[in-house]
Amino acid sequence: RTGVDKLCLLANANNTMPMSREVQDYVAQQIPKYVKAQAVISNEHLKSTQTSTFVKLSWAGFPVKLFDNKVEALDWLKEFL
């Protein structure tokens, strides 16, 4: 990958389905290639598989932050544009 800018990702974790370990590993491996910052919105406690993925992404070399509303999440992502 050359010449392609990384993007800021806004993810809504509400009402998501659990991911298998294989999917979690794949996402954690691939997403750093394309993302420079990720804001995760969740109004409920993250399930254990989501938490595991969040932890993996937080060590992926780009900032990841949890929010409970979209406005704050977008404001934070603007810092990376």
Side-chain angles (χ1 to χ4, degrees):
R1 286 185 20 87
T2 58
V4 177
D5 290 333
K6 291 185 177 185
L7 54 87
C8 293
L9 178 62
L10 176 64
N12 185 336
N14 294 310
N15 303 315
T16 58
M17 300 296 294
M19 292 186 280
S20 69
R21 171 64 77 198
E22 292 80 17
V23 171
Q24 292 177 51
D25 291 344
Y26 180 80
V27 169
Q29 182 182 61
Q30 294 299 314
I31 202 167
K33 297 176 185 179
Y34 307 100
V35 175
K36 61 181 169 183
Q38 179 178 4
V40 180
I41 301 169
S42 179
N43 294 328
E44 56 191 51
H45 294 289
L46 295 177
K47 298 174 187 156
S48 61
T49 55
Q50 293 169 320
T51 303
S52 176
T53 301
F54 175 76
V55 168
K56 284 182 182 180
L57 292 177
S58 67
W59 292 97
F62 61 88
V64 179
K65 190 170 178 180
L66 282 172
F67 295 90
D68 60 6
N69 72 73
K70 184 177 179 179
V71 172
E72 290 178 7
L74 289 172
D75 285 343
W76 180 77
L77 284 174
K78 287 177 186 176
E79 296 176 21
F80 302 93
L81 297 177

